[in-house]
Amino acid sequence: MTVSAEGAERTPGGLAALLIDASAEAISAAAGHAGGVYLRSGTPGLLRLAVLEGLPGPLFRPWWRLHVDRPFPVADAFRLGVEVVLPNATETMRRYPQFAAGLPFQFGSLYVPVTCGSSVFGVLTVLRPSASDATELLPVRERMAQVAKELGSALRILEDAQAPGVLWDAGPLSVRPPARRRPSGYLGRFAWDPVSGVVRAEERLNVALGTVPGEAHDNVAAFARAVAPGDSDRILAALREAAGGRPPALPLYVRAANGALRLVEVWGPYDDAVPFGTAPVRGVVLDPGESAVADVAADLLPDGVFCLDRLGAVVYANPHAARLLRRSRTELLGRTLWETVPWLNQPAVEDHLRVALLSPEPVHFHILRPSAQKHDPSSSPFGGDWLQLSLYPGPDLLTCMIRPGHGVAERASDLPDAQVLAEPAGASSLAPLYRPIVLAIALTEAVTPRQVSAVVMRELLPAFGGRRLAIYLLQERHLHLAWETGFPKGFLAPFEGVGLDEGLPGVETLTTGRPLFFDSMQQLSDAYPGIALDATEGARAFLPLIASGRPVGSCILGFDRPRSFSSEERAVLTAMAGLIAHALEKAQRYESEAALARGLQQALLPRRLSEHPLLETAGRYLPGTQGMEVGGDWYDVVPSGDGLALVIGDVQGHGVQAAATMGQLRSAVRAFALGDRPPDEVMSGTNHLLIDLDTGLFASCCYIRLDPATGVAQAAVAGHPRPLLRRRDGRTRLVDLPGGVVLGVDQQAQYPVAELLMEPGAVLALYTDGLVERPGVDIDDGISALRVALAKAGTPGAGSLASVADRLTATARHMTDRPDDIALLLATRRSTPLRGK
């Protein structure tokens, strides 16, 4: 079963139900905060978070996708097929520093591969309170291993019954975990049939509602009114959402006719075989008991109090909290905090929320609330007033206290661009201190100067409240603009290509190696009289980009308002500039290597294909567009005895080594073919050569020796996709050829030879997997699509095979995110010689 982005919202059945249940059981077994399941995706080597239970999905977006080669615990569990146990933050930092830097909080975690036989479907994970060591978690590990084993068996059954592969290509389903403590006042369960509209309730629930015991309710609206007359619309909406296939709805706190508080929970059907909106929706009505008294008491508190569930939704807010957040209680309840209060939707607040969700200690910080009106005389000079927030973690809820932040304006005067301040007293988020580490981690995946610049914009600007960024690179003693954002259009044009003798701050910071900070535009103007300014107000930081003692360029960071730079900020910005410089230097080397590899590959590919009067051939090669490296795909047509050898191959990996290995293999195959060796000997000889070269790489290959006069062909395959054959009547099939293992693995490998016949007018298509593989699409579907396209191409006339090759590669040619190289070789047999051949 493949879950697509389009179908994610409608997939709480089958696969989703298995994952949700397994996550809930694992969380319960481990006494965890949260958990989830990563599954394989349609992109080879990429895992996706399918279910996240107990944490808000948006706050953990950086961990939604993970490559199996990354140094992260989930990747190791999947790739190595072993449990990964991290009992506490210290062990996490020791073994997985990159992962710990992104989530620098006090928690432990466990990761168990989900397997069945030789298949690894994904990884079951749980985040839990810290433990002293791994031995303390032995019972937890045993239970999680059992849950993972049962999930793997269920996924195998699902895969065999419904689809060729269990894959996940959507965002995660965010699910509320089962509550640790159930409310004491159980009133009864009910079930609603969306088709008939009938509601059947337990006898005790009917008694509590004052309706006839044992009788069904033939009107769902009447049932909702009996539960809570003033909140019946909310109950109906929750029932419809559950029937429509949404994840379990938010527990509803409603009022009975006598004013007593009631809690209503509903959940939808989990059966893929039943269309959404037709299966029963079940629910329960509870009497919260003492919590109702607590609500009344909290309503009377002078401080603001509100509560968030594990997904960030507001489940309670007293009147004072609603006033301070400038939202009515109706607007707050049932919505996520960042959805209903937009000015809380900022990275620093996300940091604090992550701490509170994953750590046991309370978190305290101040936040700048924007002015209610543009010219509010009561607001602070920084455009609003400060509020103090305290977050107190609990097993099921975060209890939040909010009050005016008196006396904070003086502290904030040193940081007028900051919107969030950590509170010294009490625990606070350490995440802002990890900004350089987070930037370093993000830069590891940037391979071009443009990608480096994009990461800097994404990580550096929000961290310091900047609005403008420019990055210049040094080339032949001149600075050239590589990236800009936020500056007025055309403002930076006069500074393009300035020499190192110009009296400009962007030049001086590079030539002296010292960062320059200007608290105001007036300071900048005084230091550099006559310099063009892009604004009258603001502040600027000019950072030298120097790597390994060599100048790389300079970075300009702009702020819209005057501000001072503390010594700590200057040190952090200088450190970040060093990280950026090293990343840019690496990217420039990467581009140089890619250019070398690209040139090498172009030189190694055939400039023209060998010809025969009775055979026309056409080849195409398209390099991958993700990253800058090239791969090892190749094709060739070589004279062999009285016929021609058609060859296509693919060396594992990318870069100069892959291209060089490709050239060696191509030369070897040509030598064997020119000697008129049979296909099995060509494959065996090339296999021995690759093993002797000891490159650590392997390669696939398809070799077909064709006699154009008779149409008889002999073929051998080494781990390569089978060719397609289009008959002159249009029928197109995948040629069924026996195959051997890929080249470079087994010294004793055998490559059986099969025979096929090409009639006049037939077209043979050899291709590499880059043409038929797409993220989220099974390779068999890709081959089927190529077969259909070849069938529709028609019988090529003389000299028109090249246009057929262009049509077959047209879609791929216009893709901007090709993950792999593409090679295609076409051959068509003629009954009469081509003119001029």
Side-chain angles (χ1 to χ4, degrees):
M1 171 181 289
T2 297
V3 177
S4 66
E6 293 78 9
E9 289 295 327
R10 304 185 303 275
T11 319
L15 177 58
L18 290 172
L19 303 179
I20 291 170
D21 290 346
S23 298
E25 192 168 351
I27 292 171
S28 177
H33 298 306
V37 181
Y38 282 86
L39 287 183
R40 302 171 303 186
S41 73
T43 303
L46 185 69
L47 301 176
R48 286 184 178 270
L49 183 59
V51 167
L52 178 60
E53 192 157 343
L55 291 173
L59 293 188
F60 294 85
R61 185 178 293 274
W63 296 272
W64 285 12
R65 300 171 50 182
L66 193 65
H67 199 277
V68 296
D69 291 331
R70 293 287 302 280
F72 276 64
V74 171
D76 280 359
F78 180 86
R79 188 180 66 257
L80 304 176
V82 298
E83 296 178 10
V84 176
V85 181
L86 304 173
N88 48 53
T90 301
E91 184 69 6
T92 303
M93 178 61 79
R94 185 184 70 81
R95 295 177 57 186
Y96 298 96
Q98 289 190 15
F99 175 61
L103 292 171
F105 314 128
Q106 295 296 325
F107 68 93
S109 53
L110 299 93
Y111 309 85
V112 182
V114 178
T115 64
C116 186
S118 60
S119 298
V120 183
F121 294 101
V123 176
L124 178 66
T125 178
V126 168
L127 309 183
R128 67 177 310 280
S130 296
S132 57
D133 54 45
T135 58
E136 185 180 331
L137 301 178
L138 282 175
V140 172
R141 294 167 59 182
E142 293 175 0
R143 183 60 191 135
M144 278 193 63
Q146 182 62 30
V147 173
K149 180 180 178 181
E150 293 171 358
L151 177 60
S153 299
L155 292 179
R156 167 55 59 82
I157 295 172
L158 188 65
E159 183 177 63
D160 293 342
Q162 299 191 20
V166 171
L167 305 172
W168 193 276
D169 282 300
L173 296 175
S174 293
V175 181
R176 292 172 180 83
R180 304 275 185 89
R181 294 185 296 272
R182 303 301 301 174
S184 57
Y186 176 79
L187 297 182
R189 296 183 178 274
F190 66 90
W192 169 54
D193 183 348
V195 177
S196 66
V198 172
V199 178
R200 298 188 180 277
E202 286 184 332
E203 181 171 342
R204 61 184 294 170
L205 178 56
N206 280 338
V207 171
L209 298 180
T211 56
V212 179
E215 288 194 5
H217 302 258
D218 58 4
N219 187 314
V220 68
F223 171 78
R225 286 194 297 271
V227 174
D231 292 310
S232 60
D233 289 344
R234 295 175 60 207
I235 297 174
L236 291 173
L239 290 170
R240 294 189 189 103
E241 287 182 359
R246 300 283 183 87
L250 179 73
L252 295 175
Y253 287 94
V254 296
R255 297 285 179 182
N258 61 0
L261 195 67
R262 283 176 174 165
L263 175 61
V264 179
E265 294 190 48
V266 299
W267 54 92
Y270 291 138
D271 189 350
D272 278 339
V274 180
F276 296 118
T278 61
V281 174
R282 292 176 170 81
V284 62
V285 181
L286 306 133
D287 176 5
E290 296 177 358
S291 65
V293 178
D295 282 358
V296 173
D299 283 354
L300 302 176
L301 290 176
D303 291 328
V305 177
F306 60 95
C307 297
L308 307 178
D309 71 359
R310 297 293 303 180
L311 297 191
V314 180
V315 297
Y316 167 77
N318 72 359
H320 196 57
R323 285 195 297 272
L324 290 173
L325 295 173
R326 296 198 183 118
R327 291 292 184 273
S328 69
R329 298 171 82 175
T330 302
E331 291 175 308
L332 289 169
L333 291 176
R335 298 184 182 180
T336 61
L337 190 61
W338 46 86
E339 173 190 7
T340 188
V341 188
W343 47 271
L344 289 176
N345 188 12
Q346 51 180 291
V349 175
E350 291 182 0
D351 287 336
H352 292 301
L353 285 172
R354 278 191 285 265
V355 175
L357 287 165
L358 295 176
S359 302
E361 299 299 324
V363 177
H364 309 283
F365 62 96
H366 284 87
I367 184 164
L368 182 63
R369 179 181 63 179
S371 299
Q373 299 178 3
K374 186 175 182 180
H375 302 290
D376 185 352
S378 65
S379 66
S380 80
F382 310 113
D385 47 11
W386 290 91
L387 300 175
Q388 179 184 347
L389 268 75
S390 298
L391 311 179
Y392 297 91
D396 300 317
L397 298 174
L398 288 182
T399 301
C400 311
M401 295 192 67
I402 181 171
R403 59 175 66 91
H406 301 299
V408 184
E410 291 75 12
R411 289 179 52 208
S413 62
D414 292 333
L415 298 167
D417 278 86
Q419 292 178 294
V420 179
L421 293 177
E423 175 65 32
S428 63
S429 172
L430 297 178
L433 302 179
Y434 287 78
R435 291 292 183 185
I437 302 177
V438 173
L439 176 64
I441 294 171
L443 287 173
T444 60
E445 298 185 355
V447 295
T448 68
R450 185 174 183 84
Q451 290 174 346
V452 170
S453 301
V455 168
V456 173
M457 182 188 71
R458 186 175 66 245
E459 298 292 340
L460 191 60
L461 289 182
F464 291 89
R467 297 291 183 271
R468 306 180 188 202
L469 176 73
I471 293 179
Y472 284 86
L473 296 180
L474 181 64
Q475 298 176 9
E476 298 180 352
R477 295 188 59 79
H478 288 78
L479 289 173
H480 296 275
L481 185 64
W483 182 277
E484 68 164 304
T485 183
F487 286 92
K489 184 177 182 180
F491 172 76
L492 296 177
F495 302 99
E496 169 62 24
V498 297
L500 295 185
D501 55 351
E502 296 284 347
L504 296 169
V507 173
E508 183 177 334
T509 190
L510 182 60
T511 55
T512 64
R514 295 193 307 269
L516 302 174
F517 299 95
F518 300 96
D519 296 350
S520 67
M521 300 304 286
Q522 185 61 49
Q523 280 189 7
L524 176 59
S525 180
D526 292 344
Y528 295 88
I531 188 174
L533 301 177
D534 57 301
T536 57
E537 296 291 332
R540 295 290 181 269
F542 295 84
L543 308 174
L545 303 180
I546 299 175
S548 305
R550 294 189 297 273
V552 175
S554 58
C555 175
I556 304 172
L557 188 61
F559 303 85
D560 288 344
R561 291 178 292 177
R563 59 163 294 162
S564 60
F565 296 88
S566 67
S567 58
E568 181 182 10
E569 285 183 304
R570 293 177 184 230
V572 171
L573 283 169
T574 303
M576 285 185 160
L579 295 174
I580 297 166
H582 280 285
L584 287 170
E585 183 187 45
K586 180 190 72 175
Q588 289 174 321
R589 287 200 306 267
Y590 193 99
E591 283 190 326
S592 298
E593 179 183 331
L596 173 63
R598 200 177 297 112
L600 175 62
Q601 187 170 50
Q602 291 297 328
L604 292 174
L605 286 172
R607 295 186 179 276
R608 61 189 298 270
L609 301 177
S610 299
E611 300 176 344
H612 191 282
L614 294 176
L615 195 71
E616 180 184 358
T617 59
R620 294 293 182 269
Y621 169 76
L622 302 177
T625 59
Q626 289 186 351
M628 296 294 294
E629 291 186 334
V630 295
D633 292 18
W634 92 93
Y635 61 87
D636 207 350
V637 179
V638 189
S640 183
D642 295 332
L644 291 175
L646 309 174
V647 189
I648 196 161
D650 182 1
V651 177
Q652 167 217 13
H654 296 80
V656 173
Q657 186 181 16
T661 302
M662 177 270 285
Q664 292 172 302
L665 294 186
R666 175 173 174 259
S667 298
V669 172
R670 284 186 67 86
F672 289 129
L674 289 170
D676 198 19
R677 303 277 288 277
D680 56 335
E681 292 186 19
V682 174
M683 290 288 96
S684 296
T686 307
N687 178 49
H688 292 156
L689 171 66
L690 184 54
I691 292 175
D692 292 341
L693 289 174
D694 195 23
T695 63
L697 302 178
F698 58 82
S700 67
C701 185
C702 179
Y703 181 94
I704 298 179
R705 187 195 181 283
L706 174 66
D707 183 351
T710 64
V712 174
Q714 292 183 315
V717 177
H720 199 83
R722 276 31 175 192
L724 293 170
L725 180 63
R726 183 192 186 279
R727 300 180 55 171
R728 65 183 305 161
D729 61 6
R731 287 183 294 172
T732 306
R733 64 182 176 90
L734 188 68
V735 181
D736 185 16
L737 298 176
V741 299
V742 292
L743 306 173
V745 174
D746 182 4
Q747 189 86 31
Q748 307 301 321
Q750 300 294 315
Y751 299 94
V753 177
E755 192 171 282
L756 62 120
L757 181 64
M758 270 188 78
E759 61 184 353
V763 177
L764 189 65
L766 286 72
Y767 51 91
T768 57
D769 55 11
L771 185 60
V772 292
E773 279 191 326
R774 294 287 182 275
V777 178
D778 189 272
I779 188 172
D780 291 336
D781 294 336
I783 293 174
S784 297
L786 180 62
R787 179 181 60 80
V788 172
L790 181 61
K792 292 181 178 179
T795 302
S800 66
L801 195 62
S803 63
V804 175
D806 288 336
R807 287 199 295 274
L808 295 181
T809 56
T811 299
R813 192 180 301 276
H814 292 93
M815 290 177 61
T816 59
D817 58 346
R818 288 195 304 274
D820 201 0
D821 295 4
I822 290 173
L824 173 69
L825 178 62
L826 300 180
T828 184
R829 181 174 169 240
R830 301 296 182 188
S831 56
T832 58
L834 292 173
R835 185 178 300 175
K837 301 292 183 184

